Amino acid sequence: MAEVVLSVRNLSVSFNTPDGVVHAVNDVSFDLQAGETLGIVGESGSGKSVTAGSLMRLNNSVTATTTGNVVVNGVDVLNCTEDEVRGIRGQDIAMVFQDPLSALNPYYSVGAQIAEAYQVHHADASKDEVEQVVIDMLTKVGIPHPETRLHQYPHQFSGGMRQRIVIAIALVNKPKVLIADEPTTALDVTVQAQILDLMMDLQRETNMAIILITHDLGVVAEVARDVLVMYGGRVVEKASINDLFVAPTHPYSWGLLGAVSSLEDLQRGHLKTIAGTPPSLISIPSGCAFHPRCEFYEGVGSRCSSEVPELRTISSGQSMSACHLDDVQIVSIGKSKVLQ
Ligand SMILES: Nc1ncnc2c1ncn2[C@@H]1O[C@H](COP(=O)(O)OP(=O)(O)O)[C@@H](O)[C@H]1O
Ligand SMILES: [Mg+2]
């Protein structure tokens, strides 16, 4: 059994807003093992980024309420001191965001920004050592002529190169867990593929675990081993990539996959939309949040609208699903719904 590097239990996050309480993440639990790549997919607004931010305790504004446990390297990130969480960020768990430009400071050279990230956890490192680390990282992420380019500023790099630099900053302390929140969404398709390849190569080198957040099923299919499907701030399906594509177990996943009209579309990340609109996280539908859009909704007064379905293992295999349908129905409908 591989080492569990991240353990999330009953994570819930809400925000107090003038319009009401936003229940952004609701009772999310999962484990991540060293070397594993876990995909998190779901429509925009399903709670993916808030989940990711909580893993590094970044949602700590006065309006946020976070409950549950997030254990990284034996430390409960949500319940430890500020000093402890600073020790963990960057060192044990690091993050790459969607937009490389806003993640970089325009006023500092890229070398200075990589150096700073290293020095946070290596305060005693000599100048020469730090410079060598910066050059090594730039080389690793595929920036040519690192000795000269380290002195340049973010605007002197292309979008793809900037994302490579952001990855260098995230990985400079060899974290056990890398969270990548839509890391390639802002990039064009060929550059997207190069960045994903780079992340996978670096993963093999250090056996780090990766959480890859995306709304693009094609990206997930390419790189992840397991996937969490989120809807209305909850995990509604947890499956291996293979099971998700061959025998999905939740009506929302059936919709997501059915919304892919061909394998080619899937590879291009083109999805048709599912009928209906995503739920407001201020007034999440009662029972199963997906029931207003679900073709298997059992009607007014049924369990679909009165009970939140538990995420449970479906008897046919390893997948977990949060749906009231019984296992036999789930398995047979799931198989009939996948791409032919
Ligand atoms: N700081 C915040 N204050 C209030 N609401 C927020 C805040 N951050 C996120 N939300 C809300 O939480 C929900 C989930 O957002 P998010 O996790 O960003 O979704 P996504 O799945 O697209 O990444 C959204 O309704 C969003 O508006
Ligand atoms: Mg997001």
Side-chain angles (χ1 to χ4, degrees), residues 86-150:
R86 267 196 296 272
I88 283 170
R89 276 188 207 131
Q91 178 84 294
D92 293 306
I93 183 162
M95 188 128 146
V96 171
F97 297 92
Q98 173 172 346
D99 178 4
L101 204 50
S102 61
L104 293 168
N105 187 326
Y107 300 111
Y108 290 93
S109 70
V110 299
Q113 296 183 58
I114 300 171
E116 189 192 4
Y118 184 70
Q119 285 165 318
V120 169
H121 297 286
H122 300 85
D124 300 333
S126 70
K127 208 169 158 252
D128 287 351
E129 179 194 330
V130 174
E131 179 157 327
Q132 197 52 51
V133 166
V134 170
I135 292 171
D136 289 349
M137 280 318 293
L138 287 171
T139 308
K140 228 175 223 170
V141 298
I143 305 280
H145 314 297
E147 295 83 357
T148 46
R149 298 221 75 180
L150 70 88

XYZ file of all heavy atoms in Angstrom, residues 86-150:
505
model
N 2.382 27.630 7.710
C 3.426 28.213 6.841
C 4.524 27.200 6.559
O 5.117 27.186 5.488
C 4.020 29.462 7.493
C 3.314 30.749 7.042
C 4.146 31.973 7.372
N 4.306 32.129 8.819
C 3.445 32.791 9.586
N 2.403 33.390 9.042
N 3.632 32.896 10.885
N 4.791 26.351 7.547
C 5.803 25.306 7.354
C 5.370 24.268 6.332
O 6.190 23.656 5.650
N 4.068 24.076 6.209
C 3.526 23.058 5.306
C 3.380 23.587 3.881
O 3.710 22.902 2.915
C 2.167 22.577 5.853
C 2.424 21.635 7.022
C 1.340 21.879 4.775
C 1.194 21.281 7.775
N 2.896 24.834 3.769
C 2.678 25.424 2.433
C 3.989 25.513 1.672
O 4.971 26.048 2.169
C 2.129 26.843 2.565
C 0.651 26.907 2.745
C 0.194 28.365 2.664
N -1.015 28.532 3.436
C -1.227 29.484 4.337
N -0.286 30.377 4.602
N -2.366 29.546 4.980
N 3.995 25.002 0.478
C 5.218 25.068 -0.326
C 6.122 23.879 -0.070
O 6.662 23.290 -0.987
N 6.260 23.507 1.187
C 7.158 22.416 1.556
C 6.504 21.055 1.360
O 7.081 20.160 0.772
C 7.559 22.598 3.028
C 8.453 21.534 3.571
C 9.909 21.808 3.232
O 10.313 21.785 2.072
N 10.686 22.081 4.242
N 5.282 20.889 1.899
C 4.604 19.597 1.791
C 3.527 19.625 0.718
O 3.232 18.609 0.105
C 3.963 19.232 3.139
C 5.017 18.968 4.195
O 5.883 18.135 3.942
O 4.985 19.629 5.246
N 2.911 20.781 0.534
C 1.798 20.875 -0.415
C 1.898 22.229 -1.128
O 2.130 23.253 -0.491
C 0.452 20.672 0.334
C -0.731 20.675 -0.616
C 0.239 21.656 1.440
C -1.990 20.054 0.020
N 1.820 22.210 -2.435
C 1.991 23.445 -3.201
C 0.933 23.515 -4.286
O 0.279 22.506 -4.600
C 3.380 23.492 -3.821
N 0.761 24.702 -4.860
C -0.368 24.897 -5.766
C 0.052 25.634 -7.032
O 0.862 26.545 -6.984
C -1.406 25.726 -5.001
C -2.699 25.875 -5.682
S -3.955 25.369 -4.490
C -5.255 26.409 -4.902
N -0.531 25.214 -8.145
C -0.384 25.927 -9.418
C -1.773 26.376 -9.835
O -2.695 25.560 -9.895
C 0.205 24.992 -10.507
C 0.149 25.646 -11.881
C 1.635 24.616 -10.159
N -1.914 27.673 -10.110
C -3.230 28.204 -10.458
C -3.396 28.325 -11.972
O -2.447 28.184 -12.740
C -3.431 29.583 -9.824
C -3.422 29.571 -8.329
C -2.235 29.778 -7.635
C -4.576 29.326 -7.620
C -2.219 29.761 -6.243
C -4.565 29.304 -6.235
C -3.379 29.519 -5.547
N -4.616 28.663 -12.339
C -4.990 28.755 -13.750
C -4.205 29.810 -14.522
O -3.748 29.566 -15.625
C -6.484 29.092 -13.812
C -7.001 29.385 -15.199
C -8.525 29.503 -15.200
O -9.179 29.115 -14.241
N -9.066 30.021 -16.266
N -4.072 30.989 -13.926
C -3.546 32.118 -14.675
C -2.112 32.416 -14.255
O -1.880 33.004 -13.208
C -4.442 33.336 -14.426
C -3.921 34.559 -15.154
O -2.932 34.429 -15.899
O -4.494 35.637 -14.955
N -1.134 32.022 -15.083
C 0.263 32.180 -14.670
C 0.665 33.636 -14.491
O 1.542 33.951 -13.697
C 1.066 31.529 -15.797
C 0.149 31.419 -16.962
C -1.249 31.394 -16.407
N 0.001 34.547 -15.189
C 0.416 35.940 -15.087
C 0.077 36.506 -13.719
O 0.878 37.192 -13.090
C -0.218 36.773 -16.201
C 0.544 38.050 -16.540
C 2.025 37.769 -16.771
C -0.055 38.713 -17.761
N -1.124 36.179 -13.232
C -1.477 36.754 -11.934
C -0.765 36.027 -10.794
O -0.692 36.532 -9.680
C -2.991 36.755 -11.728
O -3.472 35.450 -11.750
N -0.218 34.838 -11.075
C 0.514 34.127 -10.026
C 1.945 34.646 -9.882
O 2.619 34.357 -8.899
C 0.530 32.633 -10.330
N 2.402 35.417 -10.878
C 3.774 35.929 -10.822
C 3.760 37.421 -10.521
O 2.839 38.135 -10.910
C 4.478 35.684 -12.161
C 4.736 34.219 -12.509
C 5.166 34.078 -13.970
C 5.773 33.614 -11.579
N 4.790 37.877 -9.837
C 4.908 39.303 -9.550
C 5.639 39.995 -10.703
O 6.772 39.638 -11.016
C 5.691 39.474 -8.243
C 5.718 40.918 -7.783
O 5.741 41.841 -8.602
N 5.698 41.109 -6.479
N 4.993 40.985 -11.336
C 5.605 41.603 -12.515
C 6.903 42.361 -12.207
O 7.694 42.627 -13.111
C 4.520 42.570 -13.018
C 3.622 42.798 -11.859
C 3.666 41.550 -11.025
N 7.112 42.727 -10.938
C 8.245 43.595 -10.596
C 9.514 42.844 -10.202
O 10.539 43.457 -9.935
C 7.849 44.542 -9.461
C 6.685 45.416 -9.836
C 5.441 45.245 -9.227
C 6.814 46.388 -10.825
C 4.351 46.030 -9.583
C 5.733 47.177 -11.191
C 4.507 46.995 -10.567
O 3.447 47.770 -10.928
N 9.436 41.522 -10.126
C 10.633 40.756 -9.753
C 11.018 39.817 -10.877
O 10.153 39.274 -11.571
C 10.378 39.942 -8.478
C 10.262 40.795 -7.247
C 9.021 41.237 -6.804
C 11.405 41.173 -6.531
C 8.906 42.050 -5.679
C 11.299 41.981 -5.401
C 10.049 42.413 -4.983
O 9.946 43.210 -3.870
N 12.298 39.591 -11.039
C 12.751 38.637 -12.050
C 12.227 37.252 -11.674
O 11.938 36.969 -10.501
C 14.279 38.610 -12.109
O 14.788 38.010 -10.928
N 12.113 36.383 -12.673
C 11.585 35.045 -12.376
C 12.538 34.294 -11.452
O 12.115 33.548 -10.576
C 11.281 34.243 -13.665
C 10.240 34.954 -14.515
C 12.541 33.949 -14.463
N 13.836 34.542 -11.625
C 14.826 33.896 -10.756
C 14.618 34.285 -9.302
O 14.663 33.444 -8.398
N 14.352 35.591 -9.083
C 14.147 36.068 -7.708
C 12.912 35.409 -7.094
O 12.881 35.098 -5.895
C 14.001 37.581 -7.701
N 11.900 35.159 -7.929
C 10.665 34.577 -7.391
C 10.836 33.099 -7.046
O 10.285 32.607 -6.071
C 9.503 34.811 -8.368
C 9.240 36.316 -8.510
C 8.062 36.666 -9.397
O 6.942 36.238 -9.135
N 8.315 37.444 -10.431
N 11.619 32.397 -7.852
C 11.908 30.991 -7.512
C 12.780 30.944 -6.252
O 12.547 30.152 -5.337
C 12.594 30.267 -8.693
C 11.690 30.286 -9.929
C 12.948 28.827 -8.307
C 12.372 29.781 -11.202
N 13.769 31.840 -6.216
C 14.681 31.889 -5.066
C 13.911 32.164 -3.771
O 14.127 31.510 -2.749
C 15.740 32.969 -5.281
N 12.976 33.112 -3.847
C 12.213 33.469 -2.650
C 11.438 32.260 -2.119
O 11.420 31.990 -0.921
C 11.257 34.621 -2.975
C 10.598 35.175 -1.735
C 9.437 36.101 -2.032
O 9.066 36.265 -3.223
O 8.888 36.653 -1.059
N 10.798 31.522 -3.059
C 10.018 30.345 -2.636
C 10.921 29.316 -1.966
O 10.527 28.658 -0.994
C 9.315 29.734 -3.848
N 12.159 29.196 -2.464
C 13.099 28.224 -1.881
C 13.550 28.697 -0.500
O 13.600 27.920 0.456
C 14.304 28.080 -2.815
C 15.294 27.033 -2.370
C 14.980 25.677 -2.432
C 16.555 27.404 -1.882
C 15.888 24.710 -2.024
C 17.470 26.447 -1.483
C 17.135 25.102 -1.547
O 18.039 24.146 -1.144
N 13.841 29.991 -0.399
C 14.400 30.515 0.852
C 13.408 30.495 2.016
O 13.819 30.436 3.169
C 14.946 31.930 0.621
C 16.259 31.869 -0.148
C 16.671 33.210 -0.725
O 15.832 33.951 -1.254
N 17.950 33.543 -0.614
N 12.112 30.512 1.702
C 11.116 30.419 2.774
C 11.376 29.169 3.620
O 11.240 29.181 4.846
C 9.674 30.365 2.190
C 8.662 30.002 3.262
C 9.312 31.691 1.544
N 11.784 28.092 2.949
C 12.013 26.842 3.676
C 13.492 26.491 3.820
O 13.827 25.449 4.369
C 11.263 25.701 2.991
C 9.768 25.899 3.001
N 9.004 25.724 4.137
C 8.909 26.307 2.034
C 7.735 25.996 3.859
N 7.646 26.353 2.591
N 14.377 27.327 3.268
C 15.827 27.080 3.375
C 16.510 28.406 3.689
O 17.301 28.927 2.898
C 16.386 26.496 2.075
C 15.757 25.198 1.685
N 14.588 25.113 0.974
C 16.132 23.921 1.931
C 14.266 23.836 0.808
N 15.179 23.095 1.373
N 16.207 28.922 4.877
C 16.660 30.272 5.241
C 18.187 30.372 5.281
O 18.746 31.441 5.057
C 16.065 30.658 6.594
N 18.869 29.263 5.533
C 20.326 29.313 5.696
C 21.090 29.041 4.405
O 22.324 29.015 4.417
C 20.774 28.287 6.753
C 20.130 28.570 8.095
O 19.801 29.753 8.345
O 19.929 27.614 8.873
N 20.370 28.839 3.301
C 21.065 28.490 2.055
C 21.953 29.653 1.594
O 21.568 30.817 1.696
C 20.044 28.157 0.976
N 23.147 29.320 1.086
C 24.054 30.365 0.580
C 23.536 30.888 -0.752
O 22.720 30.240 -1.419
C 25.455 29.790 0.391
O 25.434 28.875 -0.704
N 24.063 32.070 -1.155
C 23.653 32.692 -2.412
C 23.922 31.752 -3.597
O 23.094 31.607 -4.495
C 24.428 34.000 -2.575
C 23.708 35.034 -3.386
C 24.392 36.385 -3.298
C 24.012 37.219 -4.495
N 25.041 37.413 -5.490
N 25.097 31.139 -3.562
C 25.472 30.234 -4.656
C 24.533 29.029 -4.738
O 24.134 28.607 -5.811
C 26.911 29.731 -4.478
C 27.917 30.827 -4.789
O 27.487 31.892 -5.294
O 29.115 30.619 -4.506
N 24.208 28.496 -3.561
C 23.310 27.330 -3.535
C 21.951 27.715 -4.116
O 21.386 27.002 -4.948
C 23.138 26.824 -2.091
C 22.188 25.616 -2.003
C 21.730 25.294 -0.573
O 22.483 25.565 0.381
O 20.603 24.777 -0.438
N 21.442 28.884 -3.691
C 20.122 29.321 -4.168
C 20.157 29.503 -5.689
O 19.252 29.050 -6.392
C 19.676 30.630 -3.458
C 18.382 31.145 -4.070
C 19.501 30.378 -1.968
N 21.227 30.125 -6.187
C 21.300 30.349 -7.634
C 21.335 29.016 -8.393
O 20.685 28.861 -9.433
C 22.527 31.201 -7.998
C 22.598 31.393 -9.508
C 23.390 32.615 -9.939
O 23.367 33.623 -9.214
O 24.030 32.543 -10.999
N 22.065 28.063 -7.828
C 22.123 26.746 -8.479
C 20.746 26.082 -8.496
O 20.337 25.492 -9.497
C 23.158 25.860 -7.759
C 23.584 24.649 -8.574
C 24.035 25.027 -9.992
O 24.877 25.911 -10.174
N 23.441 24.401 -11.017
N 20.018 26.217 -7.373
C 18.671 25.641 -7.299
C 17.773 26.276 -8.364
O 17.023 25.586 -9.065
C 18.065 25.842 -5.881
C 16.571 25.558 -5.875
C 18.772 24.948 -4.875
N 17.877 27.600 -8.514
C 17.053 28.309 -9.501
C 17.375 27.818 -10.909
O 16.468 27.491 -11.699
C 17.271 29.845 -9.394
C 16.612 30.563 -10.574
C 16.717 30.368 -8.075
N 18.648 27.692 -11.212
C 19.045 27.222 -12.548
C 18.567 25.783 -12.778
O 18.027 25.456 -13.832
C 20.577 27.348 -12.727
C 20.950 28.840 -12.775
C 21.058 26.635 -13.982
C 22.438 29.115 -12.725
N 18.732 24.955 -11.756
C 18.279 23.558 -11.884
C 16.776 23.493 -12.141
O 16.314 22.712 -12.968
C 18.589 22.755 -10.607
C 20.083 22.495 -10.466
O 20.829 22.744 -11.439
O 20.495 22.078 -9.368
N 16.014 24.313 -11.407
C 14.550 24.277 -11.576
C 14.152 24.753 -12.960
O 13.288 24.154 -13.611
C 13.842 25.140 -10.515
C 13.672 24.513 -9.147
S 13.172 22.791 -9.102
C 11.517 22.836 -9.757
N 14.770 25.842 -13.424
C 14.428 26.352 -14.760
C 14.775 25.307 -15.825
O 14.031 25.114 -16.789
C 15.155 27.672 -15.034
C 14.614 28.886 -14.251
C 15.539 30.095 -14.427
C 13.193 29.251 -14.704
N 15.877 24.621 -15.627
C 16.268 23.562 -16.569
C 15.222 22.455 -16.552
O 14.757 21.986 -17.591
C 17.643 22.978 -16.166
O 18.556 24.055 -16.012
C 18.145 21.995 -17.209
N 14.851 22.062 -15.334
C 13.884 20.977 -15.159
C 12.559 21.251 -15.852
O 11.934 20.347 -16.406
C 13.625 20.807 -13.665
C 13.693 19.387 -13.228
C 13.556 19.272 -11.756
C 14.604 18.258 -11.332
N 14.807 18.142 -9.948
N 12.103 22.498 -15.780
C 10.800 22.801 -16.379
C 10.942 23.216 -17.851
O 9.980 23.649 -18.474
C 10.002 23.868 -15.584
C 9.713 23.364 -14.176
C 10.712 25.210 -15.550
N 12.162 23.080 -18.385
C 12.338 23.243 -19.824
C 12.466 24.674 -20.307
O 12.036 25.003 -21.409
N 13.076 25.554 -19.484
C 13.356 26.918 -19.941
C 14.793 26.928 -20.501
O 15.742 26.657 -19.763
C 13.267 27.935 -18.770
C 11.913 27.846 -18.064
C 13.576 29.355 -19.260
C 10.772 28.543 -18.713
N 14.960 27.244 -21.778
C 16.312 27.272 -22.348
C 17.141 28.436 -21.800
O 16.575 29.452 -21.379
C 16.075 27.455 -23.863
C 14.598 27.450 -24.067
C 13.930 27.605 -22.760
N 18.440 28.293 -21.774
C 19.385 29.313 -21.293
C 19.021 29.840 -19.908
O 18.873 31.042 -19.701
C 19.458 30.505 -22.275
C 19.591 30.075 -23.700
N 20.674 29.364 -24.166
C 18.755 30.203 -24.759
C 20.512 29.084 -25.446
N 19.343 29.573 -25.834
N 18.870 28.968 -18.945
C 18.419 29.402 -17.613
C 19.335 30.440 -16.974
O 18.851 31.309 -16.248
C 18.370 28.108 -16.802
C 19.174 27.119 -17.556
C 19.094 27.506 -18.992
N 20.644 30.380 -17.259
C 21.577 31.314 -16.593
C 21.263 32.766 -16.949
O 21.460 33.663 -16.135
C 23.043 31.035 -16.962
C 23.576 29.690 -16.484
C 23.221 28.533 -17.412
O 22.499 28.774 -18.422
O 23.640 27.403 -17.129
N 20.803 32.988 -18.189
C 20.453 34.363 -18.539
C 18.978 34.648 -18.289
O 18.609 35.722 -17.827
C 20.779 34.666 -20.021
O 20.301 33.591 -20.817
C 22.282 34.807 -20.224
N 18.142 33.670 -18.542
C 16.706 33.943 -18.429
C 16.256 34.166 -16.993
O 15.226 34.779 -16.749
C 15.908 32.818 -19.100
C 16.241 32.749 -20.591
C 15.055 32.513 -21.456
N 14.198 33.659 -21.619
C 13.089 33.648 -22.362
N 12.722 32.556 -22.988
N 12.331 34.716 -22.469
N 17.015 33.665 -16.033
C 16.592 33.853 -14.642
C 16.528 35.330 -14.265
O 15.842 35.724 -13.320
C 17.491 33.060 -13.686
C 18.947 33.473 -13.450
C 19.074 34.486 -12.319
C 19.771 32.252 -13.100
